[in-house]
Amino acid sequence: MKNLRLASKMLVLTLILIFTLLWVAVVALNRMAAVNAQVKQLVEQTLRKQSTTSQVQVSLLSSVRAQKNAILSTDDAKSVEFASISKRDIEGARAQYDKLREVIAGNSNERQSAAVERLGRDLEAFQKVNQETLDLAVLNSTTKGINLIRETLIPDTRSMSERLREWGKK
């Protein structure tokens, strides 16, 4: 190095700096690509979880709507139809829940796993209550009872009242 001129020494130093800078740039691009891939995977998983959770919610709300319609319907055939729609929607929610559980199983997040398990227990409890409610809704016991009162009890009561009036006049 003693025999080299100052210009040659500056050239060698500049080349070393340029190669070092290029090496840092290549490493930085490589790391950025890795981080970008991880962020993309995280976003896709989050979107998949959010989408599946929304589908579970929509299925549950649809089931509740059909359950309500089965309860309010005065026609037996419509009550049965709404009850079957409610059961179908609950099964759809169950299928979406299973998908959600698979997506969550790929992660090692304890809080999400615990929340999904609680959701599963709540979904089972809702399914039992929904079934009991639909069984009662299909019976239409309140509507049938009101119709029975209107059709038989009221005319019989009026008839009896008229007979009592006639008997009282005698």
Side-chain angles (χ1 to χ4, degrees), residues 110-147:
E110 281 295 316
R111 286 181 28 196
Q112 287 181 352
S113 297
V116 167
E117 292 306 317
R118 279 195 311 273
L119 176 64
R121 288 191 302 271
D122 293 343
L123 189 59
E124 287 176 15
F126 175 77
Q127 196 169 9
K128 289 177 186 175
V129 170
N130 186 51
Q131 183 61 45
E132 292 174 9
T133 304
L134 292 176
D135 289 343
L136 293 173
V138 168
L139 293 176
N140 283 332
S141 57
T142 303
T143 306
K144 288 178 182 175
I146 290 171
N147 289 339

Side-chain angles (χ1 to χ4, degrees), residues 158-170:
R158 286 183 182 153
S159 172
M160 185 183 300
S161 176
E162 289 175 9
R163 289 184 189 149
L164 286 175
R165 279 192 214 131
E166 289 176 9
W167 184 65
K169 289 181 184 177
K170 291 183 184 181

Side-chain angles (χ1 to χ4, degrees), residues 11 19-20 24 27 32-33 38 42-43 46-47 49 51 53 68 73 77 97-98 109 114 131 135 145 155 165 170:
L11 179 64
F19 285 127
T20 304
V24 168
V27 170
M32 282 179 49
Q38 288 178 342
L42 180 64
V43 168
T46 302
L47 284 176
K49 290 174 194 174
S51 173
T53 304
K68 173 201 57 104
S73 177
Y97 166 75
D98 291 338
N109 190 333
Q131 183 61 45
D135 289 343
R165 279 192 214 131
K170 291 183 184 181

